[in-house]
Amino acid sequence: MKFERLEFHNFKPFFGTESIQFDTDSDQPLTLVCAKNDVGKTAILEGIKFCLYGFDEGEEARTQCINRTAALDSSGETSVTMWVYHDGESYKIKRSHYFSEVDSAEDRSSENPYMQIVIAPDTEDEDIYIDTEEEEGQEIDDAEDFISDLLPEKTVQFFMFDGDRIQAFAEKLEDADASIRNAIEQILGIREIQNAINDLNDIAISYYRSEYNDASSEAEDYENKKDEREEVAGELDELQEELEGIKSDLEETEEQLDIKKKELADAENLEELYESYIEARVRLYGVDEVPDAEETLDEEALDDIGESVVEKIRGIRVQQKNLYTDFGPAAAVVAADNLEDHMPEQDSTIPKALRKTLREHEGACLVCGQFFEVDESHADDFDGAQDACEICGRPLHITEDDLIDRYEEIEKDATDDAVRLSEKIYAALGLQDEEDISPSSMKDEFGSLDGDSSNLEQRKEQLESRISRLDNDLDNAMDETERESLRDRRNQLETRRERLLVRQGERQSGISSKKEELSEINDELDEMEGATEREVRYKRLLNTSEETRNVFQEAKRSIVNSQRKKVQNEASRLFLEMSNKSDLYEGLDIDKEYRLRIKVEDEIRDLSEQDPSQGARQIIAYAFNAAVARSTSWEAPFVIDTPTGRLDNEHKTKLFDSLPEFGSQIMILYQPREMNRDDIIRFQDEDNLANHYQITREEGASVSTIEPLPEGEYTCGDD
Amino acid sequence: MSESPLPTEEEIIEELKESAEDYDLVSDNLVEELYLMEKDYSTMERRHGITRDVRQLIEEHADTDEV
């Protein structure tokens, strides 16, 4: 890093803007700034450090650096800006804060501090970064890292320091102060190596460790999840097995229940059965013949049944009996009528007529009127028939005389009977007139009654069969106790079935939930798949990063150790150059702990033991710093305030002779007493002086200005 | 190491490679590439891509089992 320009605005003694320009192109390393006491020389060094690193003391320190005159004048800004050239790029770095106008300088206060970094300032490629939202520019939240890359804060002490206090630094070197040691290690280290170490730590190791921890946790979760899946799968299997068992039980129970229900249904049909039995008996025999009929069947049912079959048959029989009982006489009446019609005087046509009549009533006994099989042979046997009516037993053979006798007999009875019978027949048949009597129709009616009788007989048989069957069923039917026991068993089976159904439902629900749970676990496992691979990978990346970091750290230690030796040699050389006792001293020694000691006559002695003068201690510190600066990869300008401190003239001269070797850019802030005309001339003659400024303050004024030293003057102390 | 004030780039890389010999997971190429990457990045550029590039470099070497 090289300064191109420094600008102080309302900063400490400077009201408005004061600047120092540097010449980076020239080979002349020195920029001198001359200032008498209390006009702002130290403010230059403080301003540079403020710009780079801010104030540790924060707001209070910022407030104190606000120029009093500026605060009384108006509201404004306090800032220090530096233009630097670093690694082939120009940068502008500005650190600033605001203040409000106050009536008393004691009331001034720092407000809204910010930092601005500009790459390639004042060019087309200008890129502005800002660490606050209040100003224009791209936001930057790691401005401190940027500055650290320019020049780490702990290393600035080697480049920018107060010459009056450098001997304290030498004492720290003697004590191998830990902070000095760290600073030295840092500054002697190769910047790129240190950056690599930082990056490996911050970017790689911490990141991969975090990812590895997450992946480990995920891998562990993955294994746990797999275990969980096994467990859930096992529970699912158990539930499914239980469900199968329940289903089997349920099937068996339902089978038993069906059987019991059927048995019970059958058993409970007894009442219906008995009712059916009574009804059948009533239908067959009649209500009066069936004792429980009126208790078992209701009135409507009994009315529906009506006359029984047996009664009907009996009725038909009566009708038939009456018919065939009455038919004979009826036929005889008819025959008699016919005979009377055909027997005018008992002539021979009577048999013919009679036969005719008989034939007309073929099949019926004229005597009793019952039907029988008459065949032609009987008709021929009338004259000598021997057969008797199977029904009445009276012989069929009827002589003419018999017939006449019969006729007379009948006539006599018949007259009365006929009248009575006729009346009876008429009444029975519902006839009004004797001419309505028709044996033929009676025969038909008889036959019809026979048909009815036959049907009724059939019906009777059916009913008897049904009654028999029902009777049998009744005999086999259970009693109430058995039915009750059957009901209990049915109820038990129903209860058992209900319980099984509930359990089945619960298992099915459980299975469904388990399946869902298993599915979710599988989905999670799918997502987590690869966790173990990730764990292995991140472990490998972490190990690689850590080993790489270790490699760079080891290389750094080796390089730093090597540089330490170079620093030791260089510091020794510069020390002997600047020392006025080079015959006594043989050089400096810097051990591995960076403890600085002095070589004297083949011995290595602690400074406290050797006790060199204050001036010598200053020279030692200068030699060390210069040696470090020459051995580091960080390039920075030297800024030395009050360089000669407690040096005597001899040491001062030697210091000034060696000063141009310290670095490529050196700014000396000196008091007039520290340098004289000869010193300046020597710098000029050796072509080391690039610029020469002075800080001045007018008599009675409270503000200072920075301006080039006037032509012809050598120091600001020149009169 | 040379007696010049600063070690050369070659010396630094050589030093890194020597250190890498003791580590199984670190190859010569990895340390050299990382060092050169750090050198290539300018101060402001570091904040933009260095994170991605450092991790990419580590992962390329670690995932391909280069060592």
Side-chain angles (χ1 to χ4, degrees), chain A residues 86 119 129 142 146 149 199 203 207-208 537 540 543 547-548 550 554 558 562-563 566 630-632, chain B residues 1-2 4-6 15-16 23 25-26 30 38 43-44 46-48 50-51 55 59 62-63 65:
Chain A
H86 171 70
I119 303 174
Y129 293 87
D142 56 352
F146 167 75
D149 203 59
D199 288 340
I203 294 170
Y207 171 74
Y208 291 132
R537 179 169 183 263
R540 183 176 176 80
N543 289 344
E547 287 191 5
T548 306
N550 294 345
E554 285 181 18
S558 176
S562 173
Q563 292 302 94
K566 290 182 185 176
R630 288 166 64 83
S631 303
T632 181
Chain B
M1 204 73 68
S2 67
S4 63
L6 294 172
E15 188 67 48
L16 287 167
Y23 295 93
L25 299 178
V26 185
L30 172 56
E38 294 289 355
T43 301
M44 266 335 248
R46 282 176 56 76
R47 60 190 302 277
H48 289 299
I50 193 78
T51 300
R55 287 183 194 161
E59 287 163 18
D63 289 344
D65 293 324

Side-chain angles (χ1 to χ4, degrees), chain A residues 102-116:
Chain A
V102 293
D103 293 330
S104 165
E106 302 307 316
D107 296 333
R108 65 195 196 283
S109 173
S110 167
E111 299 162 9
N112 301 327
Y114 72 90
M115 187 171 181
Q116 184 191 67

Side-chain angles (χ1 to χ4, degrees), chain A residues 86-104:
Chain A
H86 171 70
D87 267 355
E89 190 82 67
S90 290
Y91 298 91
K92 172 182 152 188
I93 302 165
K94 177 181 178 183
R95 196 179 290 266
S96 178
H97 52 98
Y98 293 91
F99 58 86
S100 301
E101 183 184 354
V102 293
D103 293 330
S104 165

Side-chain angles (χ1 to χ4, degrees), chain A residues 235-236 239 504-517:
Chain A
E235 289 170 2
L236 179 62
L239 284 172
Q504 179 181 261
E506 287 173 355
R507 291 301 172 280
Q508 283 170 337
S509 177
I511 286 168
S512 181
S513 295
K514 281 296 167 194
K515 281 184 176 176
E516 205 174 306
E517 189 179 345

Side-chain angles (χ1 to χ4, degrees), chain A residues 380-534:
Chain A
D380 294 334
D381 286 340
F382 277 151
D383 289 334
Q386 289 85 31
D387 291 339
C389 171
E390 291 177 5
I391 300 168
C392 70
R394 290 182 183 161
L396 286 176
H397 175 68
I398 300 176
T399 64
E400 184 174 340
D401 290 335
D402 288 333
L403 195 63
I404 292 169
D405 289 338
R406 177 69 182 144
Y407 175 74
E408 288 175 354
E409 185 182 328
I410 289 170
E411 185 187 37
K412 179 182 175 297
D413 292 330
T415 302
D416 295 336
D417 286 340
V419 172
R420 192 172 59 254
L421 186 59
S422 296
E423 290 172 355
K424 192 174 169 186
I425 291 170
Y426 295 149
L429 298 179
L431 300 174
Q432 300 298 319
D433 194 333
E434 62 183 23
E435 291 183 355
D436 293 335
I437 292 176
S438 170
S440 185
S441 68
M442 290 176 73
K443 186 181 84 172
D444 290 341
E445 187 183 337
F446 193 90
S448 172
L449 288 173
D450 238 11
D452 291 345
S453 172
S454 178
N455 290 338
L456 284 171
E457 287 295 333
Q458 260 188 0
R459 176 74 179 130
K460 181 180 168 210
E461 280 177 19
Q462 288 172 352
L463 284 171
E464 283 172 342
S465 175
R466 179 171 161 76
I467 287 167
S468 174
R469 199 172 59 249
L470 289 171
D471 196 22
N472 200 42
D473 288 346
L474 282 169
D475 284 342
N476 292 333
M478 296 174 199
D479 63 16
E480 182 56 29
T481 305
E482 287 175 323
R483 289 205 301 279
E484 193 60 38
S485 172
L486 201 57
R487 278 194 212 100
D488 286 346
R489 182 64 185 141
R490 180 204 58 190
N491 291 342
Q492 283 174 3
L493 289 169
E494 279 181 340
T495 301
R496 179 175 164 76
R497 187 186 68 169
E498 286 310 307
R499 279 206 294 266
L500 286 171
L501 283 172
V502 169
R503 284 176 61 196
Q504 179 181 261
E506 287 173 355
R507 291 301 172 280
Q508 283 170 337
S509 177
I511 286 168
S512 181
S513 295
K514 281 296 167 194
K515 281 184 176 176
E516 205 174 306
E517 189 179 345
L518 197 59
S519 175
E520 284 176 6
I521 291 174
N522 281 332
D523 287 344
E524 286 177 38
L525 281 170
D526 286 343
E527 283 179 16
M528 292 162 78
E529 200 171 345
T532 305
E533 287 83 8
R534 282 198 296 278

